[in-house]
Amino acid sequence: MSLLVTGTIGVDTVETTHSRADDILGGSAAYFACAASLIHPVRLVAAVGEDFPTDFRKVLEGRNIDLAGLETRAGSKTFRWHGKYMEDMNDRESLRTDLNIVGEDPPVIPKGFRDSKFVFLANTHPAVQKQFAEQLAGPELIFCDTMDLWINAFRDDLLNTLKIVDGIVLNDSEAKMLMDGTDLIKCGRKLLDIGPKYVVIKKGEHGAMLITRDALVSLPVYPTEKVKDPTGAGDCFAAGMMAHIAKTGRTDLATMKTALAYGACVASIAIEDFSMRALQAADADTVEQRMKTYREMLTLN
Ligand code: AMP
């Protein structure tokens, strides 16, 4: 069934303690689309400026991504982000965010995409996420993401968005910040009280948790020793998860659990190189191989 992502496409500069990459393809929707397309076709809605490099567009064009919703706006500049990871790669600082086009009018969802059944509102302004959701006709499942910038500066908008989505994916520090708590399960339950049926909390190298009103699931990461750049791990986790849900068309607990496992496997691929490089070198078999290893790792006697 149809899968749609909305969010940012940008130019990133990423520093780790060992290396640095300047002006590489990034953005929440770019990571999601590249990762999801390993499993299922994906429709992309985002806007870039006229400065968006042709080579970056080619990366998106070469995949199972429908780009009918990618707007190139004359006179505008593409979103830019500069992030720095500490020795512990779970710790990241945003050194600079130039919203540029993300601070202007959002792109419109093309008519042909409005019937999308499974939707991921990747990181952007929460009021814009809500506007995107309102343009859809009869979606079956909408998940959103968020991050520190939006939690700190646009909390009320974010709470309004949470009232209309089915699920949220966020990391542990964001869940604690948003719900003003220290216990992740309690923070998850408080988030459920606002509206969503599903809360997925990512815990960096410690895996991820799904919290619903009736269930609690906790899964580990797919272990990799080759972490080069964790940027986009959250978007790629969500991509693996949503792509599996869209492919099966199901949202029962067993499917959601397997979807979380796909999220872990796809995220593990993305972080093995800067930008989309590791995703570009992977294919559906790479994901299935990791799923096989992951299933074996979790089987107990
Ligand atoms: P993640 O590591 O999953 O949080 O995603 C990182 C990506 O999100 C980078 O490629 C950035 O370009 C993009 N990004 C950074 N800050 C924001 C923001 N405030 N809103 C939307 N996207 C962002």
Side-chain angles (χ1 to χ4, degrees):
M1 291 178 115
S2 47
L3 173 64
L4 171 77
V5 62
T6 64
T8 57
I9 293 185
V11 178
D12 287 351
T13 292
V14 177
E15 288 180 55
T16 68
T17 44
H18 304 293
S19 47
R20 172 185 169 122
D22 287 81
D23 299 336
I24 52 177
L25 173 60
S28 56
Y31 273 107
F32 184 99
C34 285
S37 64
L38 290 171
I39 298 173
H40 195 68
V42 55
R43 298 165 165 180
L44 171 73
V45 171
V48 293
E50 60 187 5
D51 56 347
F52 188 60
T54 314
D55 286 354
F56 291 179
R57 190 178 301 273
K58 284 196 186 130
V59 172
L60 300 170
E61 278 168 359
R63 310 183 67 82
N64 209 350
I65 305 173
D66 188 334
L67 296 175
L70 175 59
E71 180 192 340
T72 305
R73 197 171 293 169
S76 294
K77 277 186 169 170
T78 302
F79 173 77
R80 280 184 170 264
W81 176 77
H82 182 168
K84 182 178 177 182
Y85 291 88
M86 313 303 152
E87 187 65 41
D88 173 353
M89 289 228 198
N90 291 313
D91 270 348
R92 173 172 89 186
E93 197 185 340
S94 287
L95 296 181
R96 189 175 170 150
T97 304
D98 294 320
L99 287 179
N100 296 331
I101 197 164
V102 172
E104 301 172 12
D105 286 343
V108 170
I109 299 183
K111 283 207 172 63
F113 283 6
R114 292 190 188 175
D115 62 353
S116 297
K117 292 294 170 218
F118 294 92
V119 179
F120 189 67
L121 307 171
N123 253 308
T124 192
H125 194 303
V128 171
Q129 289 177 314
K130 185 160 176 278
Q131 281 176 36
F132 282 138
E134 286 164 353
Q135 292 172 48
L136 299 166
E140 284 191 19
L141 186 81
I142 305 183
F143 261 78
C144 75
D145 191 359
T146 196
M147 64 195 294
D148 49 0
L149 175 72
W150 310 119
I151 296 171
N152 289 327
F154 300 94
R155 192 189 175 82
D156 289 345
D157 287 320
L158 179 56
L159 294 176
N160 281 332
T161 301
L162 285 179
K163 286 183 192 142
I164 60 147
V165 296
D166 303 290
I168 178 164
V169 180
L170 73 181
N171 69 31
D172 44 6
S173 60
E174 290 158 355
K176 289 175 184 172
M177 193 188 291
L178 181 56
M179 289 294 98
D180 198 18
T182 48
D183 181 304
L184 279 182
I185 300 177
K186 283 190 184 136
C187 290
R189 299 228 180 277
K190 277 166 88 179
L191 276 162
L192 292 175
D193 288 340
I194 299 172
K197 292 198 287 280
Y198 307 96
V199 174
V200 175
I201 302 181
K202 298 159 292 159
K203 300 180 289 174
E205 62 182 328
H206 304 295
M209 242 174 7
L210 166 69
I211 303 169
T212 72
R213 285 178 187 84
D214 315 310
L216 182 61
V217 174
S218 184
L219 288 178
V221 291
Y222 177 97
T224 171
E225 291 175 56
K226 295 191 275 181
V227 184
K228 210 164 175 184
D229 171 17
T231 309
D235 308 305
C236 294
F237 181 95
M241 182 186 89
M242 291 298 294
H244 180 70
I245 295 170
K247 188 173 177 180
T248 57
R250 297 171 57 159
T251 55
D252 56 280
L253 186 62
T255 305
M256 295 298 284
K257 254 163 113 171
T258 309
L260 251 60
Y262 270 97
C265 290
V266 173
S268 75
I269 296 170
I271 61 181
E272 290 181 346
D273 209 338
F274 281 101
S275 188
M276 314 294 149
R277 284 174 209 158
L279 293 169
Q280 284 177 270
D283 59 19
D285 279 351
T286 320
V287 179
E288 288 309 324
Q289 271 304 322
R290 289 195 187 205
M291 275 299 286
K292 186 166 175 280
T293 308
Y294 191 80
R295 285 180 201 274
E296 283 165 5
M297 195 180 83
L298 293 189
T299 307
L300 305 172
N301 285 321

